[in-house]
Amino acid sequence: MAMTIKNQDEIRKMGEAGQVVALIHARIEEAIAPGMTTGELDDMARETLREAGAISSFLHYPGGHGAPPFPGHICTSVNEEIVHGIPGKRRLRDGDVVSVDVGAILAGYHGDSAWTYAVGRIPDDAAQLLRDTEEALYRAVEAATTGNRLGAVGHAVESFARRRGRGVVREYGGHGIGRQMHEEPHVPNHGNPGRGVLLRSGLTLAIEPMLTAGGEHTKTLADGWTVVTADGSIAAHFEHTVAVSPQGGRVLTPRLAPVLE
Ligand code: MG
Ligand code: MG
């Protein structure tokens, strides 16, 4: 898959897909509570996609290594699960953290954004991990500036995360995005600011730091999808779709206030 620079019209369309993603997040954030199942979150996403005339980027996504296609509309990853958790009967408990990854296709373009939510009251150290990962995302978005090298984005994540004593997951990362969910380039969460492709205005990227309260190593569960920390420490995942601009990454999946309805 080639790296593609989008024109203003394409970026506008990606912003519209991003609005659908943001609306799903707002509704989930409002609803999330101890006792809900991850499958109920998936139902909310399915319904919002339908209302918006969009489809999930993830549903039926082909699995690797003999895994079945992805069965959910969103990914829900709880506690030590980092990414690609499958929504289902699991009931969220007070003190859990749940990473919700939402991808939507609208009029042929993708938006992709993940957020880690607290379920009820969470321990202070978990809350700090969430804040750190969100901050790492903002720093990386800022680094997605025209004329920088791609390594500046990963460096922004890694340098901040290391200062906070966080594990930085290296086996997964962000990606170019547009007509395909995964386009070139791969966007690592580590790097040297002087290395990597030159960032041009209109390059659209999904930037997605995954930080842990422990080590950086991962393993995949027997379902073929769910990626967990090898040491069982909790993880957080924050992601925005952005368009590279001279002012830094322009966020195409901006957060909305939680929706009350
Ligand atoms: Mg995502
Ligand atoms: Mg992504």
Side-chain angles (χ1 to χ4, degrees):
M1 257 164 279
M3 188 164 81
T4 58
I5 301 297
K6 279 73 174 181
N7 62 35
Q8 285 306 316
D9 187 53
E10 291 176 294
I11 291 171
R12 184 183 56 74
K13 287 177 178 165
M14 289 182 66
E16 287 169 4
Q19 288 292 322
V20 176
V21 169
L23 179 59
I24 293 169
H25 271 293
R27 288 179 171 174
I28 284 177
E29 181 176 16
E30 183 60 39
I32 212 159
M36 276 190 91
T37 67
T38 55
E40 287 166 346
L41 302 180
D42 194 66
D43 291 343
M44 293 177 64
R46 185 192 59 223
E47 188 55 29
T48 305
L49 288 162
R50 192 190 58 73
E51 275 174 34
I55 59 174
S56 166
S57 302
F58 307 153
L59 182 66
H60 305 146
Y61 196 88
H65 307 288
F70 192 78
H73 296 79
I74 58 175
C75 303
T76 54
S77 307
V78 183
N79 295 338
E80 77 286 359
E81 297 172 357
I82 305 167
V83 286
H84 306 165
I86 299 172
K89 293 190 167 64
R90 181 167 183 169
R91 222 167 264 290
L92 297 170
R93 293 161 48 163
D94 190 56
D96 283 344
V97 296
V98 57
S99 298
V100 176
D101 197 347
V102 179
I105 312 170
L106 185 71
Y109 287 88
H110 290 256
D112 186 9
S113 174
W115 220 259
T116 304
Y117 297 106
V119 181
R121 279 187 66 84
I122 63 172
D124 290 346
D125 54 342
Q128 188 61 49
L129 174 66
L130 269 49
R131 285 194 293 271
D132 288 346
T133 312
E134 184 176 356
E135 177 68 22
L137 170 62
Y138 295 141
R139 289 177 183 231
V141 167
E142 202 176 306
T145 299
T146 308
N148 275 355
R149 296 272 166 191
L150 182 62
V153 174
H155 178 77
V157 171
E158 185 180 33
S159 57
F160 178 75
R162 294 265 182 258
R163 282 203 300 280
R164 294 301 172 107
R166 301 304 180 186
V168 182
V169 174
R170 299 169 76 98
E171 291 159 37
Y172 298 86
H175 46 94
I177 180 169
R179 283 195 167 275
Q180 307 291 328
M181 180 166 62
H182 293 124
E183 299 185 353
E184 294 297 330
H186 175 64
V187 182
N189 288 313
H190 57 91
N192 178 322
R195 298 278 176 82
V197 298
L198 189 63
L199 300 180
R200 292 171 54 197
S201 295
L203 178 63
T204 43
L205 302 172
I207 297 175
E208 46 183 312
M210 295 154 229
L211 304 187
T212 81
E216 66 180 50
H217 294 295
T218 73
K219 60 185 184 183
T220 303
L221 300 186
D223 62 22
W225 282 105
T226 311
V227 177
V228 301
T229 57
D231 62 8
S233 60
I234 65 165
H237 178 209
F238 286 74
E239 174 184 32
H240 271 315
T241 297
V242 309
V244 171
S245 88
Q247 292 79 38
R250 184 178 138 209
V251 175
L252 302 178
T253 47
R255 298 199 75 199
L256 304 172
V259 178
L260 288 163
E261 52 182 273

